[in-house]
Amino acid sequence: MSGKILMLGNAAVARGAYEAGAAFVSSYPGTPSTEITECAADYPELYAEWAPNEKVAAETAIGASVAGARAMTCMKHVGLNVAADPVFTASYTGVNGGLALVVADDPGMHSSQNEQDSRNYARSAKLPMLEPADSAECKSFTKLAFELSERFDTPVLLRLSTRVSHSQSLVELGERESVERKAYKKDPMKYVMMPGMAKLRHLVVEKRVTDTMAYAEGADINRIEYHDKSVGIIAAGIAHAYAREALGERASYLKLGMVWPLPELLIREFAANVGELWIIEELDPFIEREVRAMGIAARGKTDFSPCGEYTSEEIRAVVLGEPAVCADPPENIPGRPPVMCAGCPHRGVFNVLSRMRLTVLGDIGCYTLGALPPLNALDTCLCMGGSVSMAHGMEKAAGRDFSKKAVAVIGDSTFLHSGITGLIDIVYNKGASTIIILDNSITGMTGHQQNPATGLTLRNEPTRKLDLEALVRAVGVDRVTVVDPFDDGATAAAIKAELDADEPSVIIARRPCALLKGVRYTGKCVITEDCRDCGACVRSGCPAISRRSGRPRIDPAQCVGCDYCRGLCKFGAIGRVE
Amino acid sequence: MSGTNIMIVGVGGQGTLLASRVVGGAAISAGFDVKVSEVHGMSQRGGAVVTYVKYSRQTVSSPIIGLGGADLVLAFEPLEALRSAAFLKPGGAVITNTRRVDPMPVVVGVAEYPEGIADKLRALGFDVAEADAAGIAAECGSQKAANIVMIGLLAARRADFSKAEWLAAVEASVPKRFLDVNIRAFEAGYAVGS
Ligand SMILES: Cc1ncc(C[n+]2csc(CCOP(=O)(O)OP(=O)(O)O)c2C)c(N)n1
């Protein structure tokens, strides 16, 4: 295995873009896709940036492609919902420089709010989609995506899934291809999508679907591997890896590297040569439906669930009837849900909201953890930006008395992603909602990415820092307050005052994430003899505070010394050791 | 199928990811095919975390391990060892840190932390070894090196790679300025495990 290195799938996608001579990457973070863009930023030859959201990222990548550069944008599955508008029409315009759209699905929802299958987008937007199974393919398929994009004049989708993105396997590194930026030529018939032009382009799109289908028939990334022919497996990506491990040479395989369009002739040939045909795919029966539409009988979602991930052990059990032997899992094992970190500034706001028993429209970020015990503070969590607009809708439907007891909470990155448009709606349509921006000076949830409000770029270069107060004032919010969420009294007072005000208000709860490098809390908090066991500190949900032998106790290994709990204790029973 | 499947489990923030990379690194230098599967994102924050390391003289296809598929569970926290029991092959091995970290349901008093976890695992037929990795790491100079103590414990019980390969993998994975304490942590874990 010499010459090969262990590489994360995401790092291998970045490497593929680098080797393909790509010049431009713009993305918005989202697990499990985030590291692609972070790794791309490590190559000085590539321009890489964080955009405020996926739509902007996709549009900038399209712009770079039209300018003639090989360009890429990366997102998680739900990010493609946000980017769908430009993507569907870029399918019509086609490209100039190669354009790779990378989308990472999350079967099993390790870190997502839904489990949608992005292959459906390939079919709807009529775009070719490749799906790698390991890091080596992540690299080679990314390179192929750029080639196909230029050859067929189309954006190309690359579909990943959590286990491909976040698994390390061996990759052999190659050289960077030197690719000149193509000249940009004005071409309104191709790039100005008004009905007159778009009607003509639609014909081009349909022809391209036929052309890419013909390509798929002969592409070596779609390959048949015959062993025992009594069982035939059609699978792509990670599902193929699971099936291959589960069944070894006891089955034959059609491994699809391209999941859209599908190679009908190849599928027919394979089906004709094997006994029982199985389609092994996580999430939707996407391939299975197409295969059945060809009039070919196949098993798949007949026996497997459309929910969650597969494993090799499950496939062996279902296809071969050989269930794994395993211990009976002991019952009543307490769960271990993720928690807000010790020192997390979000805790301050949620502790107040939980005490005030407000209706809290939540959003997506670390602060979504405020939904869990003991804070139990959130009523909703839908999509990025949804908190602000939902608060407005609820006020209009349920009335002002209702909205006097409701707030929306949204992180700094999420607010800039798509909360600002909801706020404009509130002002424009004379709402009076109270919005709390939880400004921890970073995009936390996805692992600390910079955003426009942090004043640093993806490469940590200083840039013009977006002024949140000025922004919300500019859209017409006159009541803007900034509080320190660890100042319990001030936070509670601000929320009360703004709920009572009959106009829109924004409270910015500002304190940096405790995990940021610049944040240096020192010492530890300790509970003293004066403790009356009122439980106020325990109810704040700090993971350093537990109640192992009756009375609350602070675990020095977990305490970061943020002092938040000291402010909550009415009896002054929490001291410090330096 | 003839390869080795290791599951590394713990609590987000305990350094399981780095540990899995060390095992992966050692396996590569010993010439195995390797897959290491990690989980990033949400579960990093105090939640249960699981990574898989699989290595074999043949090709490793799947990066993950299903029920009844693990040869060994390396647990950074006892409750997480118990939680992975169904993933072990019959008679599989468990190496667990004894330092317990209460999950939130236990902290807030709606669930009870199970007692006698090692015995429960033994009763299920597993080969269980325990050590206070956090304590050993503290003696070596930093409680943060508990993950490398765990690697030392593992190295002492799996003879697939030489000690030199293990040490090289540790060196390649930890920041230079913490190398000394991590080498001490590895050696201490190795001594306890042997
Ligand atoms: C459309 C979409 N894009 C990306 C994500 C992934 N994602 C979840 S939370 C989050 C950012 C949260 O950052 P912020 O709002 O600053 O809150 P924090 O986590 O720092 O508290 C991102 C990018 C998503 N869930 N949906």
Side-chain angles (χ1 to χ4, degrees):
Chain A
M1 306 277 163
S2 67
K4 295 188 172 180
I5 62 165
L6 204 51
M7 219 181 202
L8 205 61
N10 280 347
V13 171
R15 180 74 199 184
Y18 166 80
E19 290 182 12
F24 183 96
V25 184
S26 178
S27 308
Y28 182 72
T31 313
S33 70
T34 311
E35 299 80 11
I36 306 169
T37 307
E38 290 176 329
C39 292
D42 291 337
Y43 297 104
E45 295 88 342
L46 273 163
Y47 170 82
E49 66 169 35
W50 289 131
N53 66 34
E54 294 86 352
K55 178 176 184 290
V56 174
E59 289 156 349
T60 49
I62 291 165
S65 156
V66 170
R70 287 194 163 180
M72 178 166 82
T73 180
C74 311
M75 61 202 78
K76 69 181 290 161
H77 58 334
V78 288
L80 188 49
N81 301 336
V82 179
D85 193 20
V87 166
F88 272 68
T89 304
S91 172
Y92 278 41
T93 64
V95 305
N96 185 17
L99 177 60
L101 312 172
V102 183
V103 55
D105 285 6
D106 189 16
M109 290 180 277
H110 296 277
S111 209
S112 300
Q113 66 269 38
N114 78 17
E115 208 171 16
Q116 70 189 46
D117 187 329
S118 58
R119 293 176 300 175
N120 296 303
Y121 271 108
R123 178 170 38 206
S124 314
K126 303 174 193 264
L127 294 173
M129 179 179 255
L130 309 179
E131 183 169 355
D134 60 14
S135 300
E137 287 190 352
C138 280
K139 196 190 86 165
S140 61
F141 284 21
T142 302
K143 293 166 82 167
L144 180 63
F146 287 107
E147 258 175 67
L148 295 180
S149 171
E150 289 173 5
R151 177 165 155 199
F152 293 103
D153 189 9
T154 177
V156 173
L157 287 158
L158 184 78
R159 182 199 190 215
L160 308 173
S161 61
T162 297
R163 301 303 189 173
V164 170
S165 283
H166 286 164
S167 292
Q168 302 200 48
S169 57
L170 295 170
V171 174
E172 188 154 356
L173 304 186
E175 296 293 314
R176 178 168 165 92
E177 200 183 318
S178 105
V179 178
E180 294 260 321
R181 182 171 68 83
K182 295 184 175 176
Y184 167 71
K185 255 197 351 271
K186 180 166 172 150
D187 186 354
M189 294 308 286
K190 178 164 157 61
Y191 294 123
V192 179
M193 286 302 92
M194 302 162 72
M197 290 83 150
K199 278 178 189 161
L200 298 174
R201 289 303 299 180
H202 191 180
L203 300 173
V204 175
V205 170
E206 295 303 330
K207 167 151 190 322
R208 186 183 70 209
V209 171
T210 315
D211 291 348
T212 46
M213 203 181 283
Y215 166 82
E217 296 288 359
D220 57 9
I221 56 168
N222 292 332
R223 55 160 211 269
I224 293 178
E225 194 185 310
Y226 286 119
H227 303 286
D228 186 331
K229 292 188 176 172
S230 59
V231 176
I233 304 290
I234 300 180
I238 196 68
H240 174 265
Y242 297 153
R244 191 69 185 72
E245 177 168 294
L247 312 171
E249 302 196 343
R250 297 167 71 184
S252 294
Y253 304 88
L254 168 53
K255 178 184 184 299
L256 297 172
M258 190 161 176
V259 289
W260 190 259
L262 291 171
E264 181 168 346
L265 299 176
L266 196 66
I267 289 171
R268 287 190 186 284
E269 175 196 325
F270 182 70
N273 280 309
V274 296
E276 190 167 54
L277 185 67
W278 286 82
I279 316 296
I280 305 290
E281 54 188 333
E282 292 174 324
L283 306 182
D284 293 348
F286 179 84
I287 301 171
E288 187 179 330
R289 260 191 235 126
E290 296 295 324
V291 169
R292 285 174 192 267
M294 295 171 196
I296 300 170
R299 294 174 76 175
K301 296 297 165 185
T302 44
D303 302 71
F304 286 93
S305 169
C307 309
E309 293 187 287
Y310 289 3
T311 62
S312 303
E313 287 77 5
E314 183 193 356
I315 294 170
R316 201 176 300 128
V318 173
V319 176
L320 298 180
E322 295 173 13
V325 184
C326 66
D328 270 339
E331 282 163 29
N332 298 329
I333 301 180
R336 191 185 297 277
V339 291
M340 281 181 195
C341 304
C344 177
H346 298 329
R347 177 168 293 110
V349 169
F350 285 108
N351 201 14
V352 171
L353 296 177
S354 167
R355 280 201 319 262
M356 291 173 83
R357 298 181 186 281
L358 299 175
T359 298
V360 180
L361 290 314
D363 220 296
I364 303 196
C366 290
Y367 50 94
T368 314
L369 295 170
L372 301 180
L375 294 165
N376 301 311
L378 289 194
D379 288 65
T380 62
C381 163
L382 181 71
C383 66
M384 295 201 57
S387 60
V388 180
S389 336
M390 280 181 72
H392 181 59
M394 285 182 95
E395 174 180 277
K396 292 293 175 185
R400 178 67 189 123
D401 281 345
F402 180 90
S403 83
K404 282 188 171 169
K405 294 194 174 62
V407 296
V409 292
I410 184 164
D412 48 340
S413 185
T414 306
F415 180 71
L416 296 173
H417 176 281
S418 48
I420 180 69
T421 37
L423 187 62
I424 292 170
D425 188 37
I426 291 172
V427 174
Y428 174 51
N429 289 305
K430 305 179 188 180
S433 295
T434 299
I435 310 301
I436 305 177
I437 301 177
L438 302 162
D439 180 10
N440 61 351
S441 313
I442 200 75
T443 313
M445 170 102 244
T446 40
H448 279 191
Q449 289 74 36
Q450 303 298 345
N451 69 50
T454 68
L456 293 170
T457 67
L458 165 58
R459 287 198 165 110
N460 279 315
E461 290 153 3
T463 182
R464 173 78 180 241
K465 183 172 154 62
L466 182 142
D467 180 339
L468 281 173
E469 292 93 307
L471 174 66
V472 298
R473 282 209 172 89
V475 305
V477 177
D478 294 327
R479 297 185 65 97
V480 183
T481 328
V482 179
V483 296
D484 174 359
F486 276 6
D487 185 337
D488 190 74
T491 303
I495 294 172
K496 224 178 174 51
E498 298 314 321
L499 284 172
D500 286 343
D502 282 324
E503 57 180 293
S505 27
V506 170
I507 300 170
I508 301 174
R510 180 168 288 148
R511 182 177 267 261
C513 168
L515 302 181
L516 279 174
K517 276 206 181 69
V519 178
R520 285 258 171 272
Y521 295 119
T522 56
K524 306 280 174 194
C525 302
V526 281
I527 295 178
T528 66
E529 289 306 308
D530 298 331
C531 173
R532 311 264 185 93
D533 201 2
C534 72
C537 59
V538 178
R539 278 194 299 275
S540 77
C542 175
I545 308 179
S546 69
R547 224 186 231 293
R548 192 162 308 172
S549 45
R551 263 193 16 188
R553 171 183 169 274
I554 298 177
D555 175 4
Q558 294 199 64
C559 175
V560 297
C562 75
D563 278 354
Y564 173 62
C565 58
R566 299 186 65 210
L568 295 178
C569 183
K570 286 200 208 77
F571 307 103
I574 306 183
R576 282 184 68 82
V577 285
E578 296 308 324
Chain B
M1 307 257 151
S2 56
T4 300
N5 295 348
I6 297 179
M7 233 170 123
I8 302 183
V9 301
V11 179
Q14 284 189 318
T16 50
L17 209 90
L18 186 112
S20 60
R21 290 178 175 185
V22 171
V23 183
I28 295 194
S29 54
F32 288 90
D33 188 31
V34 184
K35 281 206 163 81
V36 179
S37 183
E38 316 172 339
V39 167
H40 302 225
M42 187 97 169
S43 44
Q44 276 180 306
R45 292 161 222 283
V49 286
V50 180
T51 60
Y52 309 100
V53 185
K54 299 170 74 168
Y55 53 88
S56 173
R57 292 287 172 206
Q58 280 136 24
T59 303
V60 179
S61 294
S62 158
I64 67 168
I65 300 171
L67 293 174
D71 297 286
L72 184 143
V73 166
L74 186 66
F76 285 44
E77 202 281 338
L79 180 62
E80 299 315 308
L82 189 61
R83 199 189 307 284
S84 359
F87 287 86
L88 277 160
K89 293 179 182 168
V94 180
I95 302 174
T96 180
N97 187 2
T98 51
R99 198 60 75 93
R100 98 183 214 193
V101 179
D102 288 356
M104 202 43 75
V106 171
V107 171
V108 299
V110 298
E112 253 180 69
Y113 196 101
E115 296 296 330
I117 287 177
D119 289 338
K120 284 196 166 76
L121 288 167
R122 286 194 187 100
L124 290 167
F126 301 122
D127 168 19
V128 183
E130 304 175 87
D132 176 12
I136 297 171
E139 279 168 28
C140 295
S142 168
Q143 201 158 317
K144 291 216 172 81
N147 56 346
I148 303 298
V149 173
M150 294 299 297
I151 291 291
L153 290 163
L154 173 68
R157 302 189 123 240
R158 297 289 312 185
D160 299 328
F161 328 126
S162 69
K163 199 170 165 197
E165 280 160 352
W166 279 113
L167 281 165
V170 170
E171 191 170 341
S173 308
V174 303
K176 283 273 160 305
R177 39 198 182 110
F178 301 125
L179 184 60
D180 286 351
V181 58
N182 280 300
I183 298 284
R184 283 201 297 279
F186 176 84
E187 292 287 1
Y190 195 84
V192 171
S194 305

